[in-house]
Amino acid sequence: MRALALYGTIGSLLVTALATAPAGGATGATATPPAPVAHRIGFGRCAPVEHLPSSVECGTLTVPLDYARPDGKKIHLTVSRVRATAHRERQGSMVFNPGGPGASSMEFPLYGGLPKWNKLARVYDFVGYAPRGVGRSAPLSCQDPKEFAKAPTDSRPHPDAAFKRRKLAQAREYARGCVRRAGADLPYYNSVNNARDLDMLRAALGEKKLNFMGASYGTYFAAVYATLFPGHVRRMLFDSVVNPAPRQIWYRNNLDQDIAFQRRWSDWLRWTAKHHGRYHLGTTQRAVQHAYDSAAHKLRKHPLGGKIGAGQLQSAFLKTGYNDAFWPRSAEALSGYLHGDSKPLIAQAMPRSGDVKAEENGNAVYTAVECNDARWPHDWQTWDRDNTEVARTAPFETWDNAWMNLPCAFWPDRWRTATAELDAAAEQAGHHAGGRDLADAARHATSTALDDVLHGQRGPLDVHTEPGALPPVLLLAAERDAATPYKGALELQRRLPGSSLVTENGAGTHGIAFGENACVNKYVEAYLLHGKIPARKVYCAMRSEPVPGQQVTRAQQHAVPGK
């Protein structure tokens, strides 16, 4: 599941949870090939497609597709920037990644215009970018966007055998689509390469040391970066921390998410029941759950507007697990739909036709990175057993999360498997245009298989640094975060000696820097502005719960956590 990082009033885009070293890549710092020379970025006017104001300047970062072959194929990443407003106080560039995998931070330079970010914008250039695969940065696609966006869809907390068979077929075809469309480039979309790209960006900005803020998935490849390049770090903020333990990447992390989302869903049920006088959905969690189930059943039989089915309802209400700010709006929509007013639900759940291409792209990058990063179970019995077991106590999101990640069950483990897929695609293409390209891709994949044999079986990087190798870094976590469960922050702190962890007690909002908790923001500013690190573990009291009628900001309305 993608993780969604919400920052103050702006909010970031898609984020969910998630890395093998690439074919020909390294699985440890000592095995990392020498990085190619990064050329300084020439910034200028942003392309119209970025929809950024003239105050933002854009440029292009050129990186190798495969760092083991730095003189081989190159790809180009889009970068955005706004200069520090107080030039004499400048401390360097601040690079931001909102997570995903599959999210872009091209809009990040605009954050500097917000009051809570103003002090930071005085002393840092705000730098955003689209990671490899995202947007115009060597864009990745696995499926026709129109097919990806088909609606309505169904969502079932306890699917039957026939439903599972349909989802299996869809996942298999989706994985094949990724191989067909990306060809031999597919394995190079992964977290280790994302970390290497980040170091190329640092150098291309002219910075000797990196200042970086990462949220959700951004904390994972930042941890990979810290492992590979600890001496290149100046200040690094990890907000809503992914569990980096190799055994967790990524299959087990997703199962842990399911349990955590159920806990957060219960928080929303409790809050809604508490405000029965306004929403009339029941005075107990069970009653509110029954109301939600009734709406899902009704939409399954009679999709609203022909587009909103149980699947769209589930996607809309998943936001309640990411940020408390969505609670009043969601309760209003459910109440309205069940009591004769569908407009609030339509506003929240109706698919947006204008976002289709970007959503398919984000999902393709998410899938490729997760599937490339680690070995996933390839036998359906394992998926069925584990998700059935978790769904007994955590039915809210378990199976939808499984379907999102199921293409990884059909992902090629080794390049001989990828070759077979590509050969089949080339044969199917026959004499049609593109058939020769696919055959060439298959031959390239065969040569890449040799690297796999020479380097051995790949797996997630063992994230860690030696004491004193990494400057002090700051970790932030909400105790009841669903997308990145709290134990992930404890695990990363154990692996990064000298790091400090700020915990928001009893809270569950995902992405807490420069949000509604003044205590958290105090620690963030002290660290990023002055390098002051608090004690190893410090705690902030929970923010106030939302009140009925509270409005969600415009930016939060556009933040959609996965499919």
Side-chain angles (χ1 to χ4, degrees), residues 63-67 75-77 102 129-135 137-140 185 187-190 193-194 196-197 365 369:
V63 300
L65 173 70
D66 176 7
Y67 279 89
I75 58 176
H76 309 284
L77 314 185
Y129 73 111
R132 60 170 61 200
V134 180
S137 297
L140 190 63
D185 292 354
Y188 301 102
Y189 295 88
N190 58 66
N193 279 344
N194 283 340
R196 291 171 176 165
D197 291 346
V365 177
V369 172

Side-chain angles (χ1 to χ4, degrees), residues 129-465:
Y129 73 111
R132 60 170 61 200
V134 180
R136 296 188 297 124
S137 297
L140 190 63
S141 174
C142 292
Q143 188 179 26
D144 185 314
K146 292 180 180 178
E147 184 68 22
F148 175 79
K150 273 189 176 179
T153 57
D154 199 358
S155 172
R156 302 196 177 209
H158 301 287
D160 58 20
F163 191 86
K164 291 176 181 178
R165 283 194 297 270
R166 291 196 297 273
K167 288 296 186 180
L168 271 166
Q170 291 171 7
R172 183 184 295 109
E173 182 56 32
Y174 188 84
R176 288 173 175 168
C178 295
V179 174
R180 282 194 300 267
R181 287 172 173 247
D185 292 354
L186 185 60
Y188 301 102
Y189 295 88
N190 58 66
S191 293
V192 172
N193 279 344
N194 283 340
R196 291 171 176 165
D197 291 346
L198 181 59
D199 199 54
M200 289 284 284
L201 177 57
R202 171 199 60 78
L205 291 168
E207 304 291 354
K208 291 183 179 180
K209 302 283 186 176
L210 175 71
N211 300 296
F212 180 80
M213 296 178 63
S216 196
Y217 167 73
T219 69
Y220 177 66
F221 83 82
V224 172
Y225 182 96
T227 301
L228 295 175
F229 309 106
H232 293 181
V233 174
R234 179 176 181 262
R235 289 174 194 161
M236 189 168 270
L237 180 77
F238 300 79
D239 186 0
S240 303
V241 182
V242 168
N243 190 329
R247 67 182 181 277
Q248 293 290 126
I249 308 297
W250 287 107
Y251 182 73
R252 294 186 182 279
N253 264 339
N254 278 281
L255 293 174
D256 286 349
Q257 274 190 336
D258 300 335
I259 296 168
F261 263 95
Q262 189 67 40
R263 183 168 58 241
R264 281 290 283 162
W265 177 243
S266 296
D267 289 345
W268 179 80
L269 295 175
R270 173 194 54 76
W271 180 89
T272 304
K274 176 181 174 182
H275 297 288
H276 170 71
R278 178 176 180 111
Y279 301 118
H280 308 290
L281 293 171
T283 59
T284 65
Q285 291 187 40
R286 179 176 293 185
V288 179
Q289 179 68 60
H290 178 72
Y292 179 83
D293 292 341
S294 297
H297 178 75
K298 185 177 177 182
L299 290 167
R300 191 174 293 119
K301 287 193 168 185
H302 304 288
L304 184 58
K307 292 287 187 179
I308 301 176
Q312 285 65 46
L313 178 75
Q314 174 72 12
S315 293
F317 276 71
L318 186 62
K319 296 178 186 179
T320 62
Y322 284 96
N323 195 309
D324 298 357
F326 287 109
W327 289 8
R329 189 169 178 255
S330 299
E332 204 76 53
L334 181 60
S335 177
Y337 176 67
L338 292 176
H339 295 98
D341 180 9
S342 299
K343 290 181 181 178
L345 183 58
I346 290 173
Q348 292 182 51
M350 183 63 74
R352 298 184 182 91
S353 58
D355 297 339
V356 169
K357 185 177 180 180
E359 288 180 3
E360 190 280 326
N361 169 240
N363 194 78
V365 177
Y366 167 85
T367 304
V369 172
E370 281 220 350
C371 298
N372 285 331
D373 274 1
R375 290 177 59 87
W376 289 70
H378 282 330
D379 61 297
W380 165 244
Q381 289 76 16
T382 298
W383 290 76
D384 196 20
R385 179 198 67 214
D386 292 346
N387 285 278
T388 298
E389 178 63 28
V390 172
R392 289 193 178 102
T393 55
F396 174 64
E397 178 53 20
T398 296
W399 279 109
D400 284 323
N401 200 8
W403 306 140
M404 185 172 185
N405 293 286
L406 191 56
C408 295
F410 304 101
W411 212 254
D413 259 347
R414 295 177 179 271
W415 270 112
R416 66 175 67 94
T417 310
T419 300
E421 290 279 0
L422 288 163
D423 280 338
E427 183 178 350
Q428 184 179 11
H431 298 291
H432 296 293
R436 179 175 296 178
D437 291 340
L438 286 169
D440 289 344
R443 286 192 291 273
H444 183 89
T446 302
S447 68
T448 310
L450 179 62
D451 285 351
D452 195 40
V453 174
L454 291 174
H455 290 85
Q457 182 59 50
R458 303 305 166 87
L461 187 75
D462 185 16
V463 166
H464 72 280
T465 58

